[in-house]
Amino acid sequence: MANTFLLEIGTEELPADFVPSALRQLEQRIHSDLNDLRLAHGELSVTGTPRRLLVVVKDLIDSQPDLEEDRKGPPVSQALVDGRPGPAAIGFAKRCGVDPEDLQPKDTPKGPCLFARVKTPGQPSSALLGECVPRWIDVLQGRRFMRWGRGEQRFSRPVRWLVVLLGDSVIPVTLDAADPVVTSGRRSRGHRLHQPLKEVKSAEELLEQLDGAGVMVNRDQRAETIRAAIALESERCGGQADCPDSLFQELVDLVESPSVLKGKIEDRFLELPPEVIVTVMKAHQRYVPLRHRQAVDDPLQLQARNVLKPEFLLVGNGLDSASVTIVSGNQRVLGARLADAEFFLTVDRRQSSEQRRLSLARVTFAEGLGTLLDRSERISWVMDQLLLSLQLEGTIASHARRAAHLCKHDLVCQMVGEFPELQGLMGGKYLLEEGEAREVALAVAEHYQPAGAGDAPPTSDAGALLALAERIELLLSIFAKGQRPTGSSDPYALRRAGNGIVQILWNRGWRLPLQSLFGIAATHWVERFPDFKVEASVLAEDLGQLLCQRMVSQFEEDGFPIDLVQAVSGDGVSTDRLLEDPVDARDRLLLLKNLRNSGRLQDLQAVVQRATRLADKGDLPHSSLSVEGVVDAALFDSASEAALLVELEALSPLALARDYEGLAQKLQGAARTLEAFFDGAESVMVMADDPSVRRNRLNLLGVLRNQASVLARFDNIQT
């Protein structure tokens, strides 16, 4: 027979981010264990609310099927004595629980051995599941697990009840390590504001009772209910809901009985910057702000009145009759937080940005690296080097220098002290309010971008320059101090800083010779921090390696095929080649991808790889891109050699100019010439007996290999 298995783990309110994670873990673990236990079943579903994790397995068999298997024993030569079972055979039979006379010889790769046919009776599903449930609870992983009472049970929040049913029978389970001890039964709990539930007889009855007790237990149903209600209320208010998926998923796992309610922002608070209100709502209170549909997305907006609607949405978890009270209470909490923000804004406006910048001298950046003011001055130094390297002058340079001078002033303001996620943004707003050029204010506002995966880089030239200078200073300072990202440990987010540098350069298309810049900067840092006793060459090399790693990682995150990534940045590609122009590496990768998509890469690859295999037997340096001085036409004795020379002479200026599209087309065109060189009527033996002729022909192929390597290392590309 088959029955429905139900497991409900009832708890105090769980953190919203734990519920979806726990459900995924439970589904994987239970599915795996049921298969290992040979317990056939139908649909397995998991769902949850803030107070429960629920598993339902339909059509689960009542008992394991019996298991029959052949167990291998000792070799026949050792097990049988005069054709009868000897001590080895008798001992093996005893271990398997069979009569020695029932052992059968069978051939194996190592010779004939005795085998025992062993039958293991299947166990009842209820007994097996009773052993599994505590283990399923114990193996769940999450952040900040806790113990409660005097027990040793660990879980995200205290476990208060268990319902474990197979059909209409309770499977006895006890969590002895919990305090108080939790024992499985038939009684669940509904919404906190509803009456207690009756004992349940089956999984179906429990789901019906929960629905009647104000618990929308199906997570997908809750999500759809909340999504539809937010869309409806937004439409009624004439606004656009600002509800990213991360906030939405959290809202789904914060309530058992969702209802979307509408609150209102006090009019005076709309004088605050919109990001302040949005941060309080989304990050602190889990509300959904409503934006004006025609609002201009400007990070330097000083007031929210033209950006946000006065209404906002919240997802309640109470009774419908208490909606007015719920809204009133939430409006009061929001008002108190916004009043604090209003006070911080007033205090900050009493001090100029230049005064705040000087106050950075009282704040330590990191041990051995001075104060935040020292860091600000180092960022200005890096900015000067960037402008020189990129040959940028005029208003862009003046705005970038001014932004570098003031970029960290808001780190000591009251608003950022309360809302750290607004750093940079508030700095830009304060600068614009004080009369600084908009370009300077915008650069400061966006210099932390990109803040992570999926985040957009700065939109302005000055902002991009400042973002580069800030990240390069961070890498130089922390690396000079001797700290490196290791494994999962990266307290200064150095990898993210490296990713940001790469993304910004690609986005702006700036041809920045990073390795040269690192060399100059490393020398300067060594002079600034003699106590660190670091060598400039080692510091520059380590920084270069990190940036190369980040480029490769970013290429792969962007979805480029791994073999193409290796062709432009893997084995055989020097750090100097990659870092002399990171934009160049991406351009080559895009071209290779297009060549593969158009079906042209395979022919090009065949040409280059055949030449490379032989060229590697010669000694021509990889830097030789021209036949001049390395190939002697007087040693030719075949027209195919002369034809290949003509092709190489045409390829040389393309390789030197790094005209990658032209180089790829010309290499494809050389396929017939190379085929004639190897296999045509006037083909040649490359490894000729005459050393001069052999070297000359290897050099022909070596030049072709080198010219192709300007585009990519074709030996890293999979055929």
Side-chain angles (χ1 to χ4, degrees):
M1 292 181 61
N3 285 296
T4 298
F5 168 70
L6 177 139
L7 167 63
E8 183 187 32
I9 306 168
T11 69
E12 300 290 347
E13 275 73 5
L14 296 165
D17 62 348
F18 175 71
V19 175
S21 169
L23 294 178
R24 287 192 298 271
Q25 294 177 63
L26 275 174
E27 183 175 20
Q28 293 171 2
R29 184 64 185 240
I30 293 175
H31 187 274
S32 173
D33 283 359
L34 292 181
N35 285 343
D36 292 345
L37 292 170
R38 311 190 311 283
L39 294 178
H41 59 87
E43 180 187 4
L44 188 160
S45 60
V46 295
T47 190
T49 75
R51 297 184 68 210
R52 72 199 75 234
L53 302 174
L54 194 69
V55 180
V56 176
V57 183
K58 294 184 177 179
D59 300 324
L60 183 71
I61 59 175
D62 285 344
S63 179
Q64 284 178 319
D66 294 341
L67 177 65
E68 291 191 11
E69 58 181 343
D70 288 330
R71 293 185 187 175
K72 180 183 173 185
V76 170
S77 59
Q78 299 175 11
L80 300 181
V81 178
D82 297 329
R84 305 288 299 168
I90 294 172
F92 171 62
K94 184 176 181 181
R95 289 194 300 274
C96 295
V98 300
D99 191 296
E101 297 294 336
D102 293 334
L103 299 177
Q104 297 293 324
K106 291 185 180 180
D107 289 332
T108 73
K110 295 184 178 181
C113 294
L114 289 183
F115 281 78
R117 187 72 173 173
V118 179
K119 181 178 181 180
T120 305
Q123 298 184 55
S125 298
S126 57
L128 296 169
L129 293 169
E131 296 175 357
C132 286
V133 169
R135 187 166 63 250
W136 291 339
I137 295 173
D138 290 341
V139 298
L140 290 179
Q141 300 293 317
R143 295 186 299 117
R144 295 188 294 274
F145 267 34
M146 61 180 292
R147 296 182 179 88
W148 58 96
R150 297 183 178 181
E152 292 299 316
Q153 181 74 47
R154 294 179 69 257
F155 205 66
S156 181
R157 291 296 182 269
V159 179
R160 296 307 189 197
W161 76 92
L162 281 176
V163 178
V164 190
L165 300 176
L166 183 60
D168 57 3
S169 301
V170 174
I171 297 177
V173 175
T174 302
L175 301 182
D176 293 312
D179 182 18
V181 173
V182 178
T183 303
S184 60
R186 295 182 180 275
R187 193 177 294 277
S188 180
R189 302 184 190 181
H191 190 282
R192 285 192 182 277
L193 301 179
H194 284 252
Q195 295 296 319
L197 300 182
K198 299 177 181 178
E199 290 191 350
V200 296
K201 296 179 180 178
S202 65
E204 293 76 10
E205 185 176 329
L206 173 60
L207 297 176
E208 291 175 6
Q209 283 202 27
L210 289 175
D211 186 58
V215 177
M216 191 177 293
V217 71
N218 187 296
R219 190 178 185 277
D220 293 338
Q221 183 184 357
R222 280 202 316 280
E224 188 54 40
T225 299
I226 294 171
R227 182 180 287 109
I230 288 176
L232 179 62
E233 288 297 332
S234 301
E235 185 67 28
R236 287 175 177 171
C237 295
Q240 183 175 354
D242 183 3
C243 187
D245 187 65
S246 57
L247 174 60
F248 179 79
Q249 297 300 331
E250 191 172 1
L251 292 174
V252 172
D253 292 310
L254 282 174
V255 295
E256 290 195 314
S257 180
S259 58
V260 175
L261 308 174
K262 181 179 67 176
K264 194 162 187 179
I265 305 169
E266 194 175 332
D267 186 71
R268 82 175 210 256
F269 294 134
L270 293 174
E271 300 296 319
L272 291 168
E275 294 84 1
V276 173
I277 299 175
V278 168
T279 298
V280 170
M281 283 189 177
K282 290 163 62 175
H284 295 256
Q285 298 302 125
R286 305 325 189 252
Y287 300 156
V288 179
L290 296 177
R291 294 182 176 271
H292 287 290
R293 289 177 177 169
Q294 304 303 322
V296 177
D297 189 13
D298 180 4
L300 297 180
Q301 287 270 10
L302 297 174
Q303 296 182 354
R305 193 172 300 280
N306 296 323
V307 179
L308 297 178
K309 302 281 290 182
E311 299 86 5
F312 68 92
L313 304 180
L314 62 100
V315 179
N317 190 39
L319 302 176
D320 291 342
S321 58
S323 295
V324 174
T325 303
I326 293 171
V327 171
S328 175
N330 280 277
Q331 287 180 163
R332 190 166 59 251
V333 171
L334 177 62
R337 282 196 171 274
L338 293 181
D340 288 343
E342 188 179 50
F343 170 75
F344 298 143
L345 192 64
T346 301
V347 172
D348 288 342
R349 283 171 170 161
R350 294 173 186 164
Q351 193 176 31
S352 71
S353 298
E354 282 285 4
Q355 289 173 317
R356 277 193 293 272
R357 181 182 182 277
L358 294 176
S359 298
L360 295 173
R362 300 197 296 267
V363 183
T364 300
F365 169 50
E367 184 180 355
L369 293 172
T371 66
L372 286 177
L373 181 59
D374 296 327
R375 186 182 186 218
S376 179
E377 292 172 348
R378 293 195 296 269
I379 291 173
S380 292
W381 184 90
V382 175
M383 177 63 78
D384 289 338
Q385 301 307 310
L386 281 173
L387 294 172
L388 283 173
S389 297
L390 293 170
Q391 299 180 348
L392 295 174
E393 299 176 347
T395 55
I396 292 178
S398 61
H399 290 150
R401 286 191 175 97
R402 182 65 175 163
H405 177 74
L406 292 167
C407 67
K408 298 301 178 185
H409 78 91
D410 64 342
L411 294 182
V412 291
C413 76
Q414 296 282 324
M415 189 70 82
V416 171
E418 180 68 16
F419 305 111
E421 54 267 69
L422 296 181
Q423 60 185 331
L425 197 63
M426 289 309 302
K429 291 179 187 292
Y430 288 147
L431 288 172
L432 186 66
E433 197 172 44
E434 292 171 12
E436 289 285 348
R438 179 177 176 83
E439 292 83 357
V440 173
L442 182 60
V444 172
E446 60 185 11
H447 82 279
Y448 288 103
Q449 297 174 223
D455 193 24
T459 60
S460 66
D461 286 337
L465 285 165
L466 182 54
L468 286 173
E470 197 265 353
R471 286 162 173 79
I472 290 172
E473 186 283 331
L474 177 67
L475 291 174
L476 282 161
S477 295
I478 303 304
F479 267 59
K481 191 182 174 186
Q483 291 184 254
R484 305 284 189 276
T486 57
S488 60
S489 176
D490 189 6
Y492 290 96
L494 301 180
R495 295 190 186 99
R496 189 172 68 191
N499 286 347
I501 292 171
V502 170
Q503 291 169 358
I504 292 167
L505 291 176
W506 288 344
N507 177 259
R508 308 309 292 185
W510 284 336
R511 308 284 177 171
L512 179 65
L514 272 176
Q515 197 61 50
S516 300
L517 178 63
F518 285 156
I520 295 169
T523 300
H524 182 72
W525 250 249
V526 168
E527 293 171 356
R528 274 197 163 207
F529 300 104
D531 291 344
F532 289 156
K533 294 181 173 54
V534 61
E535 294 183 18
S537 59
V538 174
L539 177 57
E541 183 180 348
D542 288 353
L543 289 170
Q545 289 178 356
L546 175 74
L547 263 293
C548 287
Q549 292 168 5
R550 300 332 300 161
M551 284 179 65
V552 172
S553 174
Q554 196 62 51
F555 283 147
E556 293 177 356
E557 284 183 24
D558 290 346
F560 288 103
I562 292 177
D563 64 325
L564 299 188
V565 173
Q566 291 298 309
V568 300
S569 58
D571 294 339
V573 182
S574 69
T575 299
D576 288 344
R577 174 73 201 278
L578 269 181
L579 296 185
E580 67 181 352
D581 184 358
V583 175
D584 176 84
R586 186 175 175 84
D587 288 346
R588 290 185 288 124
L589 188 53
L590 286 168
L591 176 58
L592 290 175
K593 183 178 180 181
N594 291 335
L595 289 171
R596 172 169 282 175
N597 291 342
S598 63
R600 294 183 290 158
L601 182 60
Q602 189 171 1
D603 292 341
L604 178 60
Q605 184 181 357
V607 171
V608 176
Q609 287 186 341
R610 188 171 186 184
T612 299
R613 281 194 292 270
L614 276 170
D616 287 344
K617 296 180 179 180
D619 57 2
L620 185 71
H622 284 264
S623 57
S624 295
L625 299 178
S626 171
V627 294
E628 188 174 349
V630 297
V631 175
D632 184 359
L635 295 174
F636 292 168
D637 58 15
S638 168
S640 64
E641 292 177 280
L644 183 56
L645 178 65
V646 172
E647 295 284 1
L648 296 179
E649 289 173 337
L651 283 165
S652 183
L654 298 174
L656 291 168
R658 296 192 176 179
D659 179 355
Y660 300 126
E661 185 68 48
L663 185 62
Q665 291 178 1
K666 195 65 179 173
L667 283 168
Q668 279 185 283
R672 287 182 178 274
T673 305
L674 194 66
E675 184 178 355
F677 181 82
F678 283 124
D679 304 315
E682 298 190 59
S683 63
V684 298
M685 175 66 70
V686 175
M687 305 304 288
D689 293 333
D690 187 326
S692 299
V693 173
R694 181 171 64 244
R695 181 184 180 87
N696 203 51
R697 292 171 179 171
L698 286 172
N699 283 353
L700 274 171
L701 298 176
V703 171
L704 178 62
R705 174 201 63 194
N706 297 348
Q707 292 169 342
S709 295
V710 170
L711 174 58
R713 287 295 301 240
F714 283 86
D715 50 332
N716 290 340
I717 299 177
Q718 295 177 359
T719 55

